[in-house]
Amino acid sequence: MGSAARVLETLVSSGIDRSRIEVLDDRTLLVEVPRNELRNVVATLRRLGARPRTMAACDDRSRDGVYRLLYVYAFDDLGTTTILSVALDPRKPVAPTVIDVDPALDWYELEAWDLMGIEFEGRKLRRLILPEDWPSNLHPLRKDVSIEEMKKLYKPLATWRGLEIGADSVALIPVGPYHPALHEPELFVLYLRGEKVVDIDYLGFMVHRGIEKLAESMTYDKVPFIAERICGICGYAHSVAYCQAVEHALRIEVPDRARYIRTLLLEVERIHSHLLWIGVACHLLGFDTGFMHTWRIREKVMVLAEKLTGSRKMYGINIVGGVRMDIDSDKLSYAEKVIEELRREVPRLISATISVPQVRKRLSGTGILEKSDATRYAVVGPTARGSGVPIDVRKDHPYAAYGELSFRVPTYSEGDNMARTMVRVEELEESFSIVEQTIDALRKVGGWIANEEYEIVPGRLGIGSVEAPRGEDIHVLITDRTTPYRWRVRAPTYQNLPALRAMLRDCDLADAPLTIASIDPCFSCTDRILILDLRTGGVTIRSVRKVVGG
Amino acid sequence: MLSMALSRRSIWVFHLNTGSCNGCDIEILDALTPVHDVERLGIKLVASPRHADVALLTGPVTVKTLPMVVRALRAMPRPRAVLAIGACACGGGIWHYSYPHLGGFENLRKLLDSMGIVIDVVGYVPGCPARPEAIIDGIIKLVTRKEGGSR
Amino acid sequence: MIHRILALALKSGVATVRYPRQPPILTEEFRGFLVFDPTKCVGCGACTRVCPANAMNLEIRGNEIVVEYFAGRCILCHLCFYACPFGALVATTSFDRTTTNFEDLFDRVAHEGAACPSCGSIHATKRLIQFVDLVLKSEGIEIEDRLRLCPECRRIEALRALNAFRIGMEREGVEHGVE
Ligand code: SF4
Ligand code: SF4
Ligand code: SF4
């Protein structure tokens, strides 16, 4: 209590009009910012040490006649969220760009242009998410654009495009090894001078599936299932974040037991995800033995998840207001047993993989992300904690049952690949301990597992954030009568990828794949690296294996 | 029958992600790692479609991946086999109503047909995600069909 | 390095489960595919309203109403299992719906449709209407003909009745409170 009041004071004393600030609750402030003051306010917030969390563009024309941008900032040390709300002209929405004062918002502006058609003055705009041949004035997230209409307008184009490509008119696409370990179709362009990386471009968003638009046609209780399928590795974190956003917006009280169950599953997911990552890192180092052993151990976690929830990966047990399945004492004992095994197995595994001198050597001193760059790009999760930025949503903005549990936030200051690896390794230990604590708690805490008596009030704003294995997931949600009015999802990779620029600068080509993987990109297929030789102007496509020389 | 079909020669598979959520992809990997270890059945993951007998296709085929998917499938030698893995690839899954994708392999197949790219056998492994065991089943079924059909 | 790996390998032993020669690692909690029992389904459509993936569909084809379970799209959430009032969808732990024939992924049942007595359109299955009749009779309630109309005709009928009522009121010169 009171942290919102402190932030309020700070904001007022740095020149923001008190009458424009609304206190939503003791952890959230809403500031109405006029268009022409936006840049100043953003600069002020950054100067005060606020961290940009996300930015959501909303089509509020049917509600109050404007387009709206919601900039979400956090004061992590105070556990407070500050939301800037900027109203834009409904006929021609133009906002001033803020990327010179806050470079972390680069992609957000491009996305707002791409999906919502909001222009930003003073910068170059380009397509970020939609395909290049998408009709230029069709902005999917606008309310007057229906999915049917888009299908009509775009599906024929897709067919046409496919046919044209069948005629071999596109040459630059590598027939591609989709990597066995890093499995998403993404493309990085590395600019090289000799063996040194000069710059990097990311040509991605291959997996845009129109989730946010789709959810606007789904009832509240169906959305958790789609939220979970945003990512097949840390999906449960997304479904919790969505539920928390709705619960925050509608002020729904979640029963204790449900909070503990969510915590338990979030940590199970973290364990599986970190193990997966260690395996992938080994694989990228050409050390497949480590990969295989890590995945052997990980399988136990998958079986545990199935035992607890009924599915190996898509747990599917979240609903707004709680969870829909209880975890009985047999399952708890089983979980306890698995954690015990993992506590024995994981240190052995680490000593045979990460602690091996050859591996240490490859990891240390490569892909360095300085602390200043980490704050500039506002990176999150292990990427931030490896660079000495001690942020963790579980501690800073406690949710589920994390406020009642004791755990450490491992932080390293070196900023290299080794630091990020060690953060994850130590987090595994912490997760084991959190799981054990929740098991104990679940044995004691009884009661309901869901609160289904809530009233849906349209037009409310909610924020849900979760520390997913890769960093902070944050969902912004505005309610409507039966479906979400607007649902903005921000996954951690979105925040971390732009920082690769800083990490790869002047790094050896051989270390690039591992560095890209070290932020644990939720989507990545580093095998598809397009190499542009700046001296000869030649373009070659090499697979990671060749690059690594393995 | 199964072992006969499999022992004839080993099956090389190629993993083709067309915008899936990763759920099915990590299950494919799971099938390759020690607990399921499909290599014991002679199933081997290869890095290029030119070497592959079977393409393991996951995801609802997003428009952005379409060019790569088409090229990869075209590069495969005949007889081509595709295993559509997961609810996304079989029927569009939870996304099927959305806009930026084709909604699963069936629609892609129609597109491929119109381009003269023939897919000889298709297997479907539903589930979200498809279990590693189901993926193994799928490959075996597909191979049994493929061997039986082409000889 | 080598000795550590060897130690690790020796301690862990054989991890492989030799499926399909050995049974799979399957817990009884696994949410598997549903078994659709066409004899129990009455075509009420409850499942189609809860299904997040639209894997349960109800479609009017001619004078039949087809209920369809498309396993290929099912995300195994089991919401329909909890929603079906007639137990026509049975939850199993089976993961085996793999096939090389696309049509195998569908389970369908075609119900005979009941026509609206007024406009003749098909709006519900005969089985559902029979079931409702049965329940209401057991409660001692006779069904009014109005209730057999399709939703559209019922709306028109209700408006007509309301209009007649209002005109009657106005004729009698009664002022109505709500404007
Ligand atoms: S079928 Fe399910 S788990 Fe598999 S890729 Fe699609 S959404 Fe993910
Ligand atoms: S299990 Fe879920 S996805 Fe499958 S048919 Fe039932 S409601 Fe639909
Ligand atoms: S809810 Fe049950 S009875 Fe009703 S249509 Fe679905 S399967 Fe048939």
Side-chain angles (χ1 to χ4, degrees):
Chain A
M1 189 63 198
S3 61
R6 274 177 62 194
V7 173
L8 181 79
E9 241 166 66
T10 328
L11 293 182
V12 172
S13 66
S14 47
I16 295 169
D17 196 345
R18 171 68 186 85
S19 62
R20 294 225 188 87
I21 309 176
E22 187 189 340
V23 181
L24 293 183
D25 54 52
D26 60 340
R27 298 206 317 211
T28 328
L29 296 173
L30 182 69
V31 189
E32 194 67 47
V33 182
R35 214 185 75 105
N36 51 1
E37 277 174 33
L38 175 67
R39 289 168 52 83
N40 280 340
V41 177
V42 167
T44 311
L45 281 180
R46 280 297 249 173
R47 209 181 45 246
L48 293 172
R51 175 176 64 87
R53 300 179 87 184
T54 181
M55 188 264 263
C58 314
D59 179 357
D60 279 359
R61 283 176 299 172
S62 58
R63 297 200 310 144
D64 47 9
V66 292
Y67 282 101
R68 197 180 297 283
L69 294 178
L70 297 171
Y71 292 79
V72 183
Y73 280 84
F75 288 94
D76 288 307
D77 42 352
L78 294 169
T80 321
T81 304
T82 305
I83 307 167
L84 309 180
S85 159
V86 188
L88 302 175
D89 189 339
R91 280 172 308 273
K92 197 169 185 312
V94 186
T97 179
V98 295
I99 52 169
D100 45 337
V101 279
D102 190 348
L105 290 176
D106 184 18
W107 279 9
Y108 294 92
E109 292 189 352
L110 294 177
E111 180 175 333
W113 158 243
D114 219 0
L115 299 182
M116 191 66 90
I118 291 179
E119 268 182 65
F120 290 88
E121 272 168 353
R123 65 163 298 170
K124 239 181 87 198
L125 290 169
R126 61 177 166 92
R127 283 245 182 271
L128 179 73
I129 291 173
L130 296 171
E132 297 90 65
D133 61 351
W134 186 269
S136 63
N137 48 2
L138 185 67
H139 301 290
L141 286 183
R142 288 198 173 172
K143 287 284 175 190
D144 45 12
V145 176
S146 71
I147 293 187
E148 276 84 12
E149 193 183 337
M150 276 189 279
K151 280 184 177 165
K152 251 191 258 132
L153 278 170
Y154 194 61
K155 279 276 161 91
L157 270 174
T159 319
W160 167 83
R161 186 174 188 214
L163 285 168
E164 183 161 292
I165 287 143
D168 260 344
S169 60
V170 180
L172 252 185
I173 291 150
V175 177
Y178 277 75
H179 203 274
L182 297 164
H183 12 255
E184 271 190 66
E186 303 295 328
L187 189 63
F188 290 94
V189 182
L190 301 185
Y191 300 88
L192 300 177
R193 193 167 295 132
E195 283 291 294
K196 294 277 184 209
V197 179
V198 196
D199 203 353
I200 176 170
D201 250 343
Y202 169 70
L203 314 173
F205 295 95
M206 300 292 184
V207 250
H208 176 61
R209 290 159 298 187
I211 296 171
E212 294 174 1
K213 185 78 180 179
L214 195 54
E216 287 171 14
S217 64
M218 285 177 124
T219 55
Y220 285 105
D221 268 346
K222 286 184 188 173
V223 180
F225 293 97
I226 202 164
E228 196 149 12
R229 283 162 180 82
I230 291 171
C231 167
I233 300 172
C234 51
Y236 187 68
H238 278 291
S239 109
V240 173
Y242 161 79
C243 290
Q244 283 176 358
V246 182
E247 285 150 10
H248 182 215
L250 301 176
R251 324 249 194 291
I252 302 169
E253 192 78 44
V254 181
D256 285 347
R257 198 167 168 83
R259 288 191 298 119
Y260 276 103
I261 292 177
R262 282 183 184 175
T263 311
L264 174 64
L265 293 173
L266 281 170
E267 290 308 315
V268 168
E269 187 173 60
R270 190 182 322 276
I271 297 172
H272 115 78
S273 173
H274 280 357
L275 284 174
L276 180 146
W277 183 83
I278 294 174
V280 169
C282 287
H283 174 80
L284 282 178
L285 291 169
F287 182 25
D288 270 346
T289 319
F291 168 60
M292 289 294 176
H293 276 290
T294 322
W295 280 63
R296 169 178 61 77
I297 295 171
R298 177 180 164 276
E299 188 64 23
K300 297 191 171 131
V301 188
M302 302 303 278
V303 178
L304 170 65
E306 182 185 316
K307 183 96 180 160
L308 294 178
T309 65
S311 180
R312 288 164 55 88
K313 193 62 235 12
M314 297 298 166
Y315 305 157
I317 75 166
N318 266 353
I319 50 173
V320 172
V323 292
R324 66 185 180 116
M325 265 177 250
D326 205 352
I327 293 180
D328 62 23
S329 63
D330 282 356
K331 293 181 191 167
L332 290 178
S333 315
Y334 182 80
E336 210 165 30
K337 215 182 82 221
V338 173
I339 293 297
E340 232 177 79
E341 269 173 52
L342 290 176
R343 272 200 187 277
R344 243 180 300 121
E345 291 240 26
V346 170
R348 248 191 255 150
L349 172 83
I350 299 300
S351 83
T353 53
I354 307 292
S355 313
V356 169
Q358 290 91 325
V359 175
R360 294 191 80 97
K361 221 166 161 188
R362 281 293 304 280
L363 291 171
S364 306
T366 50
I368 294 175
L369 181 68
E370 299 290 348
K371 187 171 180 177
S372 57
D373 280 330
T375 20
R376 211 165 81 87
Y377 287 107
V379 295
V380 290
T383 315
R385 295 194 285 275
S387 293
V389 184
I391 49 167
D392 187 326
V393 190
R394 294 176 292 173
K395 273 271 193 267
D396 303 334
H397 310 269
Y399 56 94
Y402 288 108
E404 288 121 75
L405 303 170
S406 79
F407 60 96
R408 225 163 42 81
V409 179
T411 311
Y412 280 74
S413 57
E414 290 86 351
D416 57 359
N417 288 335
M418 189 69 200
R420 290 187 282 275
T421 310
M422 286 318 291
V423 167
R424 294 199 177 90
V425 169
E426 289 185 23
E427 273 183 16
L428 275 176
E429 288 291 320
E430 295 305 313
S431 292
F432 296 156
S433 132
I434 297 176
V435 171
E436 284 161 351
Q437 292 174 48
T438 34
I439 291 172
D440 282 344
L442 279 172
R443 290 215 168 102
K444 289 185 215 108
V445 181
W448 296 103
I449 54 166
N451 172 1
E452 292 183 84
E453 278 165 25
Y454 52 84
E455 196 190 340
I456 295 173
V457 189
R460 286 260 189 84
L461 173 71
I463 306 262
S465 57
V466 165
E467 183 74 18
R470 289 157 185 75
E472 175 191 52
D473 274 346
I474 176 162
H475 291 201
V476 179
L477 187 132
I478 299 171
T479 58
D480 204 348
R481 242 165 269 282
T482 50
T483 61
Y485 183 83
R486 174 80 171 100
W487 175 43
R488 169 71 161 98
V489 176
R490 201 273 283 141
T493 313
Y494 194 86
Q495 201 75 340
N496 288 343
L497 266 183
L500 275 178
R501 270 233 157 98
M503 289 153 81
L504 286 173
R505 204 171 298 131
D506 287 333
C507 121
D508 279 336
L509 178 56
D511 291 323
L514 185 71
T515 305
I516 293 174
S518 79
I519 65 164
D520 199 356
C522 201
F523 34 64
S524 146
C525 190
T526 38
D527 236 9
R528 324 179 90 273
I529 292 180
L530 193 69
I531 296 167
L532 215 47
D533 195 324
L534 292 187
R535 275 171 313 178
T536 60
V539 178
T540 46
I541 295 146
R542 284 198 257 169
S543 77
V544 170
R545 256 175 227 286
K546 291 210 191 91
V547 174
V548 179
Chain B
M1 185 162 89
L2 149 190
S3 53
M4 255 169 51
L6 283 179
S7 63
R8 205 165 307 168
R9 65 192 170 89
S10 64
I11 303 301
W12 287 11
V13 297
F14 168 69
H15 177 193
L16 194 56
N17 177 323
T18 68
S20 87
C21 80
N22 275 352
C24 288
D25 308 70
I26 56 174
E27 294 296 48
I28 292 176
L29 273 191
D30 237 55
L32 288 163
T33 48
V35 176
H36 299 286
D37 188 22
V38 290
E39 289 194 13
R40 82 200 137 90
L41 299 172
I43 301 167
K44 185 171 161 8
L45 190 76
V46 291
S48 161
R50 292 191 195 282
H51 304 154
D53 300 299
V54 180
L56 308 177
L57 187 138
T58 60
V61 195
T62 59
V63 172
K64 267 204 168 181
T65 59
L66 186 61
M68 293 171 230
V69 173
V70 171
R71 289 185 66 114
L73 289 178
R74 209 153 65 148
M76 281 173 68
R78 297 279 302 270
R80 294 191 188 102
V82 171
L83 193 63
I85 294 174
C88 289
C90 289
I94 198 163
W95 320 107
H96 79 106
Y97 181 62
S98 189
Y99 56 96
H101 61 72
L102 297 189
F105 183 72
E106 272 306 286
N107 294 338
L108 175 65
R109 194 177 190 180
K110 282 185 206 134
L111 183 65
L112 292 173
D113 276 347
S114 70
M115 294 163 62
I117 300 174
V118 185
I119 306 290
D120 297 279
V121 218
V122 188
Y124 299 89
V125 184
C128 186
R131 289 179 69 96
E133 290 95 343
I135 297 174
I136 298 175
D137 276 352
I139 300 178
I140 293 173
K141 276 201 184 133
L142 196 61
V143 167
T144 331
R145 257 294 297 277
K146 187 171 163 173
E147 304 269 312
S150 63
R151 267 164 230 198
Chain C
M1 181 176 176
I2 293 293
H3 63 276
R4 289 194 208 168
I5 291 169
L6 276 179
L8 186 63
L10 282 175
K11 283 216 187 77
S12 46
V14 177
T16 308
V17 176
R18 299 176 60 198
Y19 181 82
R21 298 234 173 80
Q22 281 176 0
I25 324 164
L26 190 69
T27 64
E28 65 265 36
E29 276 79 18
F30 179 63
R31 289 199 302 269
F33 287 100
L34 298 152
V35 173
F36 182 48
D37 184 348
T39 59
K40 287 200 182 133
C41 176
V42 304
C44 67
C47 52
T48 63
R49 274 190 285 275
V50 296
C51 179
N54 287 12
M56 292 297 317
N57 276 306
L58 191 136
E59 211 185 302
I60 300 173
R61 289 185 195 160
N63 49 9
E64 284 186 335
I65 292 185
V66 180
V67 179
E68 178 184 271
Y69 171 51
F70 179 18
R73 196 179 282 154
C74 175
I75 57 164
L76 310 178
C77 64
H78 285 193
L79 286 180
C80 54
F81 162 67
Y82 294 107
C84 177
F86 300 94
L89 290 159
V90 184
T92 69
T93 60
S94 149
F95 57 84
D96 186 23
R97 286 292 298 238
T98 44
T99 171
T100 51
N101 180 8
F102 193 56
E103 277 303 304
D104 287 355
L105 296 173
F106 293 89
D107 290 334
R108 292 198 186 91
V109 57
H111 291 286
E112 201 183 331
C116 166
S118 164
C119 68
S121 71
I122 305 288
H123 66 100
T125 65
K126 280 215 167 118
R127 273 190 93 170
L128 179 62
I129 292 199
Q130 276 162 10
F131 175 79
V132 174
D133 276 358
L134 216 73
V135 173
L136 290 182
K137 267 212 191 90
S138 70
E139 304 268 316
I141 305 170
E142 271 304 321
I143 302 183
E144 296 172 52
D145 277 347
R146 192 150 48 84
L147 291 178
R148 295 193 190 282
L149 296 175
C150 71
E152 185 57 19
C153 291
R154 211 180 302 159
R155 203 173 59 86
I156 294 169
E157 183 63 25
L159 281 178
R160 197 178 288 148
L162 194 70
N163 242 352
F165 178 67
R166 192 187 286 146
I167 290 166
M169 297 276 268
E170 274 166 9
R171 265 204 206 118
E172 281 168 31
V174 184
E175 278 196 20
H176 29 91
V178 194
E179 45 115 35

